[in-house]
């Protein structure tokens, strides 16, 4: 039990005909949810079939997941059949990554029946509920979680011989259980940022942004009243990333993989992220490969560009979600997406993990001979602007400066030069989900 006031509310409806209890959860599921769950733990619903509707849940964190897990485990021991209703994309992914989905059966229509019955005076039958659980008349809601995991795209026509590029001479290989590389040396400095200057390291999204970053850097200096020293680096460049620094950088704009490493290992704080910027992965096979499902590729040779990337992480996650054990897949890292595509087309690999954005930008000729077997639609892996924990006091001024760029001419110019629509504050549950994926596959 916790002394914190709970922000989670649970409303109950029962359908007499199907002997099903519908519990509607609203608010936040955090550590304080123990107070709301405790009555249901002491006195489980009398019906053997229980539907939990999460449509009105605004967020959930790791402590809330632990409280929910405790309740579901107890109910499973009581022999209850559980269904989940109204899972949005974020909750659906969180439940899959944490194993909570194993407690829920496939929907059999009971939830829709209960909701429909509850919308009429005759159909919704109230019953005694545990203290703290409110019986209500429920409005109908669509049943089942959204489809967010994958799509199947028909293949293109077979290539002509000249359309198939030659294979690279060599690519790095890794065993299926190889660990992720350590952080680049540029982030290994033990000393915190100096008080008189903020070092700002940027890993660009593309090579067209350089002018925009220098312009934004000037605006940030004026807003913060501090000297901000900008350095544009390629974290994958061994020479650049291998240079140790005397002090840790105060600000880092990093790819999602490096951002997770910095948050996990050095406690950097997520401040903002570009709008409409997400890494997704497409799982690609040759057009003439007759295998129709991802589960048919057990033991297949995988190729992707880089190990330190969320394309690789999401590719593994998608494999596991589709019934293919990613831990048993040998993989090679080609160094670039074009080199990885060449390896697939030349027969040196059977399955390609490629960024969906990169695949869409290929010419029709380059895409010829390939077929998209699966594609993620997670919308969580984006570049992040991070702040060193010793500079936490700057977090709010930075957020206000970045999210307010669209409100004045100079800010709009900076956004235009960066090719961005704007900046958003990352939602805590989405950052947590990003870190969960990182820990599962790389951390």
């Amino acid at each position: 039990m916790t002394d914190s006031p709970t922000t989670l509310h649970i409303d109950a409806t029962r359908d007499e005909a199907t002997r099903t209890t519908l519990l509607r959860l609203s608010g936040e599921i955090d550590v304080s949810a123990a107070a709301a769950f405790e009555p249901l733990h002491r006195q489980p619903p009398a019906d053997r079939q229980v539907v939990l509707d999460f449509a009105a849940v605004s967020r959930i964190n790791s402590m809330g997941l632990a409280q929910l897990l405790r309740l579901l485990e107890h109910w499973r021991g009581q022999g209850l059949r559980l269904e989940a209703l109204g899972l949005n994309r974020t909750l659906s992914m969180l439940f899959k990554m944490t194993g909570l989905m194993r407690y829920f059966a496939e929907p059999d229509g009971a939830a829709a029946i209960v909701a429909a019955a509850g919308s009429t005076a005759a159909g919704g039958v109230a019953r005694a509920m545990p203290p703290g659980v409110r019986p209500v008349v429920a409005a109908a809601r669509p049943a089942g979680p959204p489809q967010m995991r994958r799509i199947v795209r028909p293949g293109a026509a077979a290539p002509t011989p000249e359309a198939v590029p030659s294979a690279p001479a060599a690519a790095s290989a890794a065993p299926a259980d190889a660990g992720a590389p350590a952080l680049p040396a540029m982030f290994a400095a033990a000393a915190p940022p100096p008080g008189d200057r903020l070092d700002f390291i940027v890993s660009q999204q593309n090579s067209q942004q350089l002018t925009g970053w220098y312009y934004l850097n000037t605006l940030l200096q004026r807003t913060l009243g501090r000297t901000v020293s900008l350095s544009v680096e390629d974290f994958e460049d061994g020479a650049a990333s291998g240079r140790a620094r005397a002090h840790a950088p105060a600000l880092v704009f990093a790819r999602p993989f490096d951002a997770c490493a910095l948050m996990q290992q050095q406690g950097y704080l997520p401040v903002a992220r570009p709008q409409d910027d997400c890494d997704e992965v497409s799982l690609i096979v040759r057009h003439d490969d007759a295998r129709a499902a991802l589960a048919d590729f057990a033991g297949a040779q995988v190729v992707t560009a880089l190990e330190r990337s969320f394309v690789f992480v999401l590719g593994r996650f998608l494999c596991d979600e589709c019934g293919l054990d990613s831990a048993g897949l040998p993989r090679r890292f080609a160094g670039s997406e074009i080199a990885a595509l060449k390896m697939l087309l030349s027969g040196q690999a059977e399955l390609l993990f490629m960024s969906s954005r990169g695949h869409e930008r290929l010419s029709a000729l380059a895409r010829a001979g390939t077929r998209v077997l699966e594609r993620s639609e997670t919308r969580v892996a984006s570049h992040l602007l991070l702040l060193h924990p010793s500079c936490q006091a700057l977090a709010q001024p930075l957020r206000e400066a970045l999210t307010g760029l669209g409100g004045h001419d100079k800010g709009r110019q900076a956004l235009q030069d960066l090719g961005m629509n704007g900046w958003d504050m990352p939602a805590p549950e989405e950052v947590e989900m990003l870190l969960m994926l990182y820990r599962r596959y790389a951390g």
Side-chain angles (χ1 to χ4, degrees), residues 41-404:
H41 194 276
R42 289 197 313 268
Q43 183 184 331
D47 293 315
R48 310 315 291 172
Q49 181 152 285
V50 179
V51 178
L52 285 83
D53 184 355
F54 294 91
V57 171
S58 57
R59 69 180 294 264
I60 185 169
N61 64 16
S62 58
M63 294 300 293
L65 286 170
Q67 302 298 331
L68 181 58
L69 174 64
R70 175 174 174 267
L71 179 66
L72 297 180
E73 184 67 33
H74 177 64
W75 279 358
R76 187 166 70 172
Q78 301 293 311
L80 301 185
R81 184 186 186 278
L82 308 175
E83 291 185 22
L85 177 69
L87 289 175
N88 61 26
R89 171 185 54 85
T90 300
L91 288 182
S92 183
M93 282 195 65
L94 275 173
F95 282 18
K96 288 174 182 177
M97 286 188 289
T98 56
L100 282 179
M101 287 303 293
R102 70 180 184 271
Y103 292 96
F104 296 105
E106 289 294 325
D108 65 357
I113 294 172
V114 173
S119 65
T120 63
V125 181
R127 62 184 288 268
M129 292 293 166
V133 180
R134 304 174 295 188
V136 298
V137 175
R141 294 179 189 268
Q147 294 296 319
M148 63 92 200
R149 249 191 329 123
R150 57 190 193 270
I151 63 164
V152 178
R153 179 177 294 176
T160 58
E162 59 271 19
V164 181
S166 59
S172 61
D177 58 353
L183 274 171
M186 68 168 72
F187 299 116
D196 60 338
R197 188 186 75 250
L198 302 177
D199 287 338
F200 185 10
I201 296 181
V202 167
S203 174
Q204 297 187 100
Q205 295 167 290
N206 59 70
S207 60
Q208 310 302 315
Q209 292 184 318
L210 187 60
T211 300
W213 282 116
Y214 278 103
Y215 192 24
L216 178 62
N217 186 72
T218 301
L219 295 180
L220 291 179
Q221 290 188 92
R222 294 173 181 171
T223 300
L224 301 175
R226 303 275 292 275
T227 299
V228 182
S229 178
L230 177 68
S231 176
V232 177
E233 306 278 5
D234 181 356
F235 295 176
E236 300 300 328
D237 181 343
S241 63
R243 291 194 297 267
R245 292 172 176 264
H247 297 87
L251 289 166
V252 181
F253 182 72
R255 301 181 183 97
F257 188 97
D258 295 307
C260 284
L262 287 165
M263 289 187 288
Q264 174 81 7
Q265 299 178 32
Q266 297 192 8
Y268 273 77
L269 309 172
V271 174
R273 68 176 184 187
Q275 293 177 0
D276 306 320
D277 167 61
C278 289
D279 283 355
E280 300 292 352
V281 64
S282 291
L283 305 191
I284 300 169
V285 299
R286 289 187 299 277
H287 183 268
D288 58 1
D289 195 315
R291 288 171 285 189
L294 197 53
D296 298 332
F297 284 78
Q301 176 69 57
V302 170
V303 66
T304 192
L306 301 170
E307 185 176 16
R308 295 181 57 87
S309 75
F310 248 82
V311 169
F312 180 49
V313 169
L314 288 174
R316 292 195 60 185
F317 172 67
L318 193 54
C319 286
D320 289 336
E321 286 302 307
C322 293
L324 176 62
D325 181 10
S326 68
L329 298 174
R331 57 246 191 191
R332 302 181 72 182
F333 305 104
S336 72
E337 292 198 319
I338 294 300
L341 177 63
K342 291 177 180 178
M343 289 186 66
L344 175 76
L345 294 174
S346 67
Q348 297 183 54
E350 301 165 82
L351 186 61
L352 167 64
F353 295 177
M354 188 175 191
S355 71
S356 295
R357 185 184 296 114
H359 183 259
E360 290 166 359
R361 289 175 178 172
L362 292 174
S363 66
L365 187 63
R367 285 198 304 269
T370 66
R371 175 167 55 94
V372 176
L373 192 64
E374 303 282 352
R375 186 175 68 192
S376 70
E377 295 179 359
T378 60
R379 300 192 295 277
V380 297
S382 62
H383 280 65
L384 286 173
L385 180 68
L386 305 175
L387 183 66
H388 193 275
S390 67
C391 304
Q392 186 171 0
L394 297 175
Q396 190 58 31
L398 275 170
R399 290 189 181 110
E400 292 175 357
L402 291 170
T403 57

